[in-house]
Amino acid sequence: MGEILALVEARLRTAFGEPDARAAVTFLGTDRIEVLRFVDTDAGLVRYATLGMSAQPMADPTAVLADPVKGPRAELVLSVRAGLADTDKVLRPLAVLAATPQVEGVVVAPGASLDVGEPLWPGAPFSSVLVAESGGLVEDLDLNEAMSRSDSVRGGGRAAGGTMDPVRFLPLLPMTSNEAAWKRVHGAQALEERWLANGTDLRDPLRRSVTLD
């Protein structure tokens, strides 16, 4: 688990640079979840990324026994415009969302809605997020390749035939309550198309709901 998280953090550092802050949260019966903060001064953005969710594969809730190796792995990434709201308070809600697979036995995948039941940060008009497709901000991490390469550097040898799924870094798009309700009826793609058609700034921590039918 430690080796996997070291590789995951290295991939985040490659994409975003050095984190300027990090916080750790542990929930009863779960592994520790960290949230790293990266400041992109040039773009005026703050990015928050979880670290720990990918330590174990997410299990199909219908499976009798969880496979300790196979299964999807992911971390969550939230990007917001800096200086407009107290978004650092999102650290605990993000950790809650990252612990969801362990606590509730669900698989977090693109198109899913996640709700923390309270504002993501003080004054936020969002309590839920839409999980977007990976690959845009942070390249998927092929664990089999990365761990084999790590072993080669150390002069060790890992048995061939690794079957671990890649770690996917899933962007989170905050939704207002109206948007979340509309998405449940019309679907994630329809909501994303509505955002796009209206030029919605999904990184604005104070934005209003997009116009909905």
Side-chain angles (χ1 to χ4, degrees):
M1 183 176 77
E3 183 177 3
I4 289 173
L5 294 185
L7 292 168
V8 169
E9 183 169 350
R11 177 57 55 91
L12 288 169
R13 288 171 182 265
T14 297
F16 299 142
E18 292 295 312
D20 76 330
R22 63 198 303 156
V25 181
T26 303
F27 303 101
L28 184 63
T30 68
D31 296 326
R32 185 175 73 165
I33 301 290
E34 288 190 273
V35 180
L36 281 57
R37 186 182 70 185
F38 301 86
V39 177
D40 185 339
T41 304
D42 293 337
L45 297 175
V46 180
R47 304 188 193 276
Y48 303 93
T50 64
L51 180 64
M53 181 177 174
S54 62
Q56 306 291 341
M58 292 182 279
D60 184 336
T62 63
V64 177
L65 292 175
D67 192 305
V69 177
K70 296 180 181 179
R73 297 174 187 259
E75 297 290 354
L76 308 176
V77 180
L78 174 69
S79 301
V80 294
R81 299 211 174 276
L84 300 180
D86 188 10
T87 55
D88 281 352
K89 294 295 194 301
V90 79
L91 299 180
R92 185 174 178 82
L94 273 184
V96 169
L97 296 180
T100 300
Q102 293 186 61
V103 175
E104 299 183 13
V106 299
V107 175
V108 176
S113 300
L114 302 175
D115 196 318
V116 296
E118 60 183 23
L120 294 177
W121 51 82
F126 324 103
S127 64
S128 61
V129 295
L130 174 65
V131 182
E133 293 284 349
S134 67
L137 284 175
V138 188
E139 184 181 356
D140 294 347
L141 174 62
D142 185 328
L143 287 176
N144 300 310
E145 177 184 333
M147 295 180 78
S148 294
R149 187 165 58 245
S150 178
D151 281 347
S152 297
V153 170
R154 292 196 302 264
R158 187 181 300 276
T163 56
M164 289 185 291
D165 285 24
V167 176
R168 304 190 187 282
F169 299 86
L170 301 172
L172 301 181
L173 308 177
M175 295 187 292
T176 66
S177 57
N178 287 343
E179 290 169 343
W182 197 85
K183 180 261 181 185
R184 284 194 293 272
V185 176
H186 299 279
Q189 183 176 345
L191 178 58
E192 291 187 76
E193 289 173 354
R194 185 59 59 93
W195 282 335
L196 184 61
N198 285 269
T200 306
D201 182 2
L202 297 174
R203 294 169 175 173
D204 181 353
L206 300 175
R207 73 172 182 86
R208 296 182 178 182
S209 179
V210 71
T211 302
L212 301 168
D213 295 335

